[in-house]
């Protein structure tokens, strides 16, 4: 893997296309989510090997839970199952999302808004669960320090998630869909047309090959 | 143009690649900006014909002014010249940026933070000049209403700029670089590899052809 001389420290992941994949397989839409767990673990393992220091997975949003109840239950379960699998690995885990709602899975409450180290805690892994971009930003208004400092960035709900160097989106859509608006400000965005359940390590390698050729200006 | 049945109402424009274009022409980097004025007018005319209701141009940022002084002067002048040209057309113009600084061109002060209708004012045209994403968001903290409402979105500096349906970026880079973080939350992002001074209407048409095939979910 020596060819990846320039590595992103933090990779964001938008695992889109689960429902479209299920439809293509002749399955009910809700069945797609369960097929999105193993790809996440494969991607985590591949990134860990390559030395990625932090990953953030876009689990589900406060908008997503307006979907049919069977789908909502399916992606809630997929998030819980994914976290349970990560607990068996070396992840320094943090779940970020609005816990002040029934749709936030109670199994994930112990990991919300703080880091928990599993195994050797080799990589920071952030999981967005019942996340909302406006919830994230408006969270800063709860802190007196926001007003005192005149700077809300340090007080948003996701303040402990660092800037993302690269965002990978599966499923072909070329947009961020509310994924961490502050941390994605300078991110390079790479879109993979295949649906998330069809994840292959080659997708990651393709993204990294492309990343070698971009430069980082941070808006300068 | 009947083939564009689904039109974005609001198009954002990141006119990148001026300096790389100049280098490719054997010119000093600063000379690229002057070649970015006509492309903007051509794009404005093409969008007006197609019924686009609002456009936002990413002029320059508070980060950009850290560049060498000759470059800074060149892109400041290009913004002033662009606005002067738009004034001869049917634009409902608004300049958004931090006016509280010497680098904000004084010629544009009359158009800052409010709309001015030129000609028949057929299209809303927003120009970001000495803009900063963190300045934009933190601006909301100046309003008591932000704290009262618990919602900063309605009080940011760019609050009178609507959600962008599509963002077009020239120059090949696949990132937003701080371009209106709130209004770009759900935007479809289309990247054109050519540099901005090489703008052709065909770039716009290609983007619109692609846009026909995307769906709009607004995070749902």
């Amino acid at each position: 893997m020596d060819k990846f001389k320039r590595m992103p420290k933090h990779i964001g992941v938008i695992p889109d296309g689960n429902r479209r994949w299920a439809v293509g397989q002749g399955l009910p839409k809700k069945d797609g989510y369960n097929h999105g767990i193993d790809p996440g673990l494969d991607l985590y393992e591949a990134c860990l090997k390559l030395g990625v220091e932090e990953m953030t997975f876009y689990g589900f949003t406060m908008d997503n839970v307006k979907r049919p109840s069977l789908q909502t239950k399916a992606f809630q379960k997929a998030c819980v199952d994914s976290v349970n699998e990560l607990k068996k690995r070396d992840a320094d885990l943090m779940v970020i999302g609005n816990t002040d709602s029934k749709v936030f899975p109670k199994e994930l409450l112990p990991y919300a808004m703080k880091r928990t180290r599993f195994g050797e805690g080799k990589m920071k892994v952030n999981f967005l669960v019942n996340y909302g971009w406006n919830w994230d930003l408006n969270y800063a208004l709860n802190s007196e320090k926001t007003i005192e400092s005149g700077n809300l960035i340090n007080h948003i709900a996701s303040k402990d998630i660092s800037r993302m160097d690269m965002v990978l989106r599966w499923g072909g859509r070329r947009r961020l869909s509310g994924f961490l608006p502050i941390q994605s400000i300078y991110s390079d965005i790479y879109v993979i047309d295949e649906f998330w359940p069809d994840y292959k390590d080659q997708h990651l390698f393709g993204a990294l090959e492309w990343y070698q050729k971009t430069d980082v200006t941070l808006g300068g």
Side-chain angles (χ1 to χ4, degrees), chain A:
Chain A
M1 291 302 154
D2 278 357
K3 66 178 170 177
F4 301 132
K5 287 180 183 166
R6 193 174 156 259
M7 279 294 294
K9 285 187 184 175
H10 183 179
I11 295 180
V13 180
I14 306 181
D16 194 25
N18 293 284
R19 292 183 294 174
R20 284 174 284 161
W21 178 87
V23 169
Q25 303 284 320
L27 296 168
K29 282 183 181 173
K30 70 172 174 57
D31 288 5
Y33 298 111
N34 188 42
H35 292 267
I37 299 168
D38 282 343
L41 299 168
D42 291 347
L43 177 57
Y44 160 82
E45 297 287 356
C47 286
L48 186 63
K49 263 186 216 163
L50 288 164
V52 173
E53 295 172 17
E54 185 167 357
M55 292 183 77
T56 300
F57 289 90
Y58 206 10
F60 69 88
T61 68
M62 294 162 71
D63 285 329
N64 293 156
V65 295
K66 296 168 193 160
R67 291 179 188 167
S69 160
L70 283 177
Q71 286 181 31
T72 299
K73 279 178 190 158
F75 62 63
Q76 285 169 320
K77 184 173 186 304
C79 284
V80 173
D81 290 349
S82 294
V83 168
N84 283 334
E85 283 300 323
L86 281 167
K87 284 159 64 176
K88 300 176 193 164
R89 288 163 176 81
D90 295 307
D92 196 7
L93 185 79
M94 179 164 65
V95 173
I96 295 287
N98 184 358
T99 58
D100 211 18
S101 156
K102 281 182 187 173
V103 298
F104 187 95
K106 63 180 188 315
E107 299 91 329
L108 299 183
L109 283 172
Y111 315 112
M113 310 306 272
K114 64 173 173 32
R115 283 204 187 279
T116 308
R117 201 179 163 91
F118 292 100
E120 295 179 48
K122 286 177 184 166
M123 193 205 290
K124 287 184 183 174
V125 180
N126 314 307
F127 227 94
L128 304 191
V129 172
N130 199 39
Y131 173 85
W133 62 269
N134 39 9
W135 165 82
D136 188 4
L137 298 179
N138 285 326
Y139 190 94
L141 302 179
N142 298 321
S143 167
E144 280 182 21
K145 287 178 189 168
T146 300
I147 314 300
E148 278 170 33
S149 67
N151 189 354
L152 60 90
I153 312 306
N154 297 327
H155 306 287
I156 60 176
S158 63
K159 63 183 182 297
D160 293 326
I161 300 182
S162 74
R163 184 171 61 72
M164 297 184 287
D165 301 297
M166 184 162 74
V167 170
L168 303 181
R169 181 171 187 141
W170 274 262
R173 286 173 183 153
R174 304 188 200 175
R175 55 198 185 218
L176 285 169
S177 304
F179 185 42
L180 294 172
I182 300 302
Q183 290 87 343
S184 65
I185 288 275
Y186 299 120
S187 302
D188 284 299
I189 305 163
Y190 186 87
V191 176
I192 294 117
D193 285 333
E194 282 92 335
F195 300 136
W196 174 242
D198 286 329
Y199 169 80
K200 288 173 189 63
D201 285 348
Q202 201 52 50
H203 298 164
L204 172 66
F205 301 154
L208 290 171
E209 275 166 33
W210 168 77
Y211 190 77
Q212 304 308 300
K213 293 172 280 182
T214 63
D215 66 338
V216 173
T217 59
L218 300 181

